[in-house]
Amino acid sequence: NVPSIIEKGGDWYAGIGTERSKGTKLFSLSGNIARTGVFEVPFGLTLRSLVEEIGGGVPNGNKLKALQPGGAMLGLIPASLVDQPIDFEGLVDIGSGVGSGGLVVIDESACLVDVACMLMSFAQDECCGKCLIGRLGTKQMLDILQDITSGRGQPGDIDLLTELGESMALGSLCPLGAGAPAPITSILNYFRDEIEAHI
């Protein structure tokens, strides 16, 4: 954004976007979407416009199930909130964030418990291991999620995942450890019935 701001001025750039989120953002669209790629959009555009108009929508007649707009350490957004405008504060308010702009589109064919396992596996692999809660918390959450996906889930697993997530968010030394539970927390908030069905 810097060359355009230098050329046209800060007032010009501030005229793009919303009152609190100025300018534009690059989004890398991937997942179950017709048109993948990197697209620059103004803040204030809705997630629906980004997915349907720019990304061409969900292919093969499937329906949108969830979006992860900011990368692996941010919460998922259910299809019911697809009319949310893209801005820093608004996405945080619904349990996610702008983050890196790596927007992953998830359609109805996906199992969100499997998605949670994949994201926690990534977090566990990337954890530096310096703090106990980051190292063991990611491992414990992954173990619980793997038990749920393999049919060994227990009724208390949801409460344990919630408690571990809260502890990691408060006690981890780095953003990775603190952010690792966010996708799981959002799935528990918006798709709890899917986890309960597995258990």
Side-chain angles (χ1 to χ4, degrees), residues 137-187:
T138 54
K139 174 74 169 97
Q140 185 65 35
M141 287 187 91
L142 180 59
D143 287 348
I144 294 167
L145 289 166
Q146 288 173 335
D147 282 347
I148 293 171
T149 60
S150 63
R152 297 187 308 270
Q154 301 295 318
D157 285 347
I158 291 176
D159 291 337
L160 187 53
L161 285 169
T162 302
E163 185 179 334
L164 279 167
E166 290 169 355
S167 297
M168 289 175 65
L170 292 172
S172 294
L173 294 177
C174 73
L176 186 140
I184 308 340
T185 301
S186 65
I187 290 170

